[in-house]
Amino acid sequence: MGRGDDLRDGVGAPGVGLFVTFEGPEGCGKSTQLRLLKSYLQEQGWDVLDTREPGSTPIGERVRAILLDPACAEMVPTTEFLLFSAARAQHVAQVIRPHLARGGVVLCDRYADSSLAYQGYGHQLDLEVVRRITDFATGGLVPDLTFYLDVPVEVGLRRKSGGSGDAWNRIEQKGIAYHGRVRSGYLTMAAADPDRWVVVDATQSVERVQELIRAAVQARWNGPKGEKGGTR
Ligand code: TYD
């Protein structure tokens, strides 16, 4: 597929970008997959921006430091959610929207669905409130395509701890229950909006997962929504 290929239907034209997000539990391999997709799209001549949440702006990186600071262990879920949302508002306004407006492709490692999954389903904050505040923070910017890289909770946590039995043993039962709610939250959201979400079994090889991701991007460009370049 070359850049001049008319299957692209407007993606790449000024004002019509493609916004792709990667979601998944700890250790699902989304950063690797995002990087591989980025190289592939760049080889085709696309103007690809890769970015991540929380962070990716000077203000967002400062908010990220607060969110990750062990000294902030007493932070309540509502504060956590509002900080993620504040960083996101800045990210959308300063980075994501301008790149889409230039007709580029944005690949984002986590976005608003992480707040739904981790703060909404995981911490059991009111989902409707989380949705409304997220809509406010993003100005209603919804991804065109979202990959959910699915791995069972235990597999993801083991991968994240580098296969170390010690790290695995330190994970409390409460942590596992929380990550279980996060995963089923993701699966619920994906099932409710199959036009946007693509669920990929991320226990498969890196190469196979990437093949499925590329096929889904291609299908997205060829499909009926590709004509308008998105659902925003
Ligand atoms: P990060 O180090 O970027 O991890 P990962 O490789 O898993 O993306 O840390 C981000 C953490 O923040 C991750 O555990 C998910 C969590 N998170 C939320 O809880 N809510 C959010 O809205 C976002 C964007 C991330």
Side-chain angles (χ1 to χ4, degrees), residues 46-219:
W46 290 98
D47 180 10
V48 184
L49 175 81
D50 75 296
T51 186
R52 64 152 191 190
E53 291 205 351
S56 302
T57 64
I59 292 169
E61 289 299 328
R62 289 168 77 172
V63 175
R64 180 184 175 93
I66 298 171
L67 282 162
L68 301 184
D69 188 347
C72 296
E74 76 272 24
M75 190 183 295
V76 297
T78 302
T79 307
E80 192 179 282
F81 168 60
L82 292 171
L83 285 174
F84 277 119
S85 299
R88 181 165 302 127
Q90 192 64 31
H91 189 207
V92 167
Q94 194 176 347
V95 175
I96 300 176
R97 279 198 194 274
H99 194 78
L100 293 174
R102 288 192 291 272
V105 175
V106 175
L107 305 181
C108 192
D109 188 341
R110 296 198 181 282
Y111 182 63
D113 298 305
S114 281
S115 282
L116 261 306
Y118 285 82
Q119 282 67 54
Y121 288 94
H123 282 306
Q124 298 173 305
L125 294 182
D126 184 323
L127 286 176
E128 223 14 74
V129 172
V130 171
R131 279 195 196 99
R132 283 216 310 277
I133 293 174
T134 295
D135 193 53
F136 176 64
T138 60
L141 181 68
V142 176
D144 296 301
L145 189 58
T146 297
F147 290 103
Y148 175 61
L149 303 192
D150 188 41
V151 292
V153 172
E154 291 80 358
V155 175
L157 290 174
R158 220 173 268 133
R159 278 189 190 175
K160 189 88 177 181
S161 68
S164 140
D166 284 355
W168 170 244
N169 290 338
R170 281 197 298 274
I171 295 159
E172 297 169 355
Q173 199 55 42
K174 182 170 173 282
I176 295 167
Y178 172 78
H179 289 292
R181 288 197 298 277
V182 170
R183 183 187 185 212
S184 61
Y186 271 126
L187 292 172
T188 301
M189 290 191 283
D193 190 1
D195 281 348
R196 169 161 76 90
W197 289 80
V198 176
V199 178
V200 180
D201 173 0
T203 62
Q204 302 175 93
S205 70
V206 169
E207 294 73 22
R208 178 65 186 143
V209 170
Q210 181 63 199
E211 218 173 87
L212 294 169
I213 287 173
R214 290 178 186 182
V217 170
Q218 175 120 25

